[in-house]
Amino acid sequence: MLKAVILIGGPQKGTRFRPLSFEVPKPLFPVAGVPMLQHHIEACAKVPGMKEILLLGFYQPNEELNRFLMTVQQELKVSVRYLQEFAALGTAGGIYHFRDQILSGGPSAFFLMNADVCSAFPLLEMLRFHGNHGDAHCGVLLGTTANRTQSLNYGCIVENQQTNEVLHFVEKPSTFVSDIINCGIYLFTPEIFGHIGAVFQRNQQDRLQEEQPQGRQRAEVIHLEQDVFTELAGQQRLRVYKTQHFWSQIKSAGSAIYASRLYLDQYKHTHPERLASSAEGGPKIIGNVYIHPTANIDPTAVLGPNVSIGKGVCIGAGVRVRESIVLHGATLQDHSCVLNSIVGWDSTVGKWARVEGTPSDPNPNDPYAKIDSETLFRDGGLTPSITILGCNVNIPSEVIIRNSIVLPHKDLNRSFKNQIILYTQLQEPDHPLDSASRTRSSSGLSFKNQIIL
């Protein structure tokens, strides 16, 4: 018997995913037409002997999460439960706190995975790899190859190439260690809890010996990467299985666009029924496109490649959409153009308007390149990335929104470029200003590389 645990974090995590995470918990954000978590659960449900899937995090239970759990259980015929942490306990602290729930029923092993990864989830291959190496280890880490520069942004694994044993593990090293990186997907035997328990006991002893323990994190906060893997490496307790399939993190909205592309391509083999195709009387479809059955799309629209159209979306005549996600209830009016963007729930893009972003794709000339986790600002300006329209944003006709982030419930009145738009009513103040200040505050001027307050 097997189980799976998916770490979904909580509202304090995933801040780089804002403003989209204001409306929906990040793990439920739709990627390639279905909630991000559903890709994990579908992969787990295909594993023979999978008894139960546990979601572990510190979100407050809410209607949306409960509805998702009910829907996915009915569709996949597998038990899915949510276990709520009392606080953020780390990647190991959470599973240690709920170890009795995980071990209930006596599973021989369990998968553990982070919710914010996009992967082909080679779980059956990991299971076979685990069986082929006997019982001498307590865990298998899924690894992939990155280039030397980008490997510094991940947990790095040094392996014995003959035995695949993990000899050394360093989380985000300052200098190059290995080009094999940790994918955040694991297969553990129950023995792992003994090693996590040893860290917990040591943390408790350290707190007792502290003369002033206030300010130190609680003993229950334990991280697999820093606290467990670093100690088990070199002790023949961990092995690494390197995958050749696709893998990426989903840390920002830009990476969600890239993940959607990867999943849409995978649908050709796993869920061909989710992919739209050109038909007489329907819109022109280029490449891989997902369209929810309730969407209303004019037959003169052109969609694709790599487009996801959500529930109840209305798309007018002559609309062009490419490399984008259009969410529930959005409207794209006649002859508008949406490229490399996310259009938020119930937002409207006016006639002949253009919403365009800069793709955050890995270097296509480097087979081992991963998507960069760009900072929000670079060289004093907003880093060019995809354009995000939050919930209920209204874009008027004949304007251009480029490389910008628009927070929810905004009615724009002009074009914007390279901006985070918090407020849109820019008024001249009543008191006199010098000419420089007046120029900065005038609503009639264009802005670039600024946060508009």
Side-chain angles (χ1 to χ4, degrees), residues 277-285:
S277 57
S278 296
E280 186 175 352
K284 181 178 180 180
I285 304 298

Side-chain angles (χ1 to χ4, degrees), residues 281-285 297-303 315-320 334-335:
K284 181 178 180 180
I285 304 298
I297 303 176
D298 189 276
T300 62
V302 180
L303 310 179
I315 296 180
V319 170
R320 180 70 174 101
D334 296 353
H335 305 292

Side-chain angles (χ1 to χ4, degrees), residues 8 20 55 83 90 135 146 173 201 243 258 281 295 307 343 375 394 396 420:
I8 68 173
L20 301 172
L55 310 183
L83 303 177
D135 299 326
Q201 295 294 332
T243 180
Y258 180 62
V307 168
V343 179
T375 57
N394 182 35
I420 299 177

Side-chain angles (χ1 to χ4, degrees), residues 16-17 20 249-260 340 342 358-361 371-372 385-388:
R16 281 182 282 176
F17 213 73
L20 301 172
Q249 288 184 324
I250 309 179
K251 296 294 186 182
S252 64
S255 56
I257 293 281
Y258 180 62
S260 182
N340 299 297
I342 296 178
T358 299
S360 306
D361 299 347
I371 194 166
D372 282 321
S385 184
I386 71 162
T387 289
I388 305 169

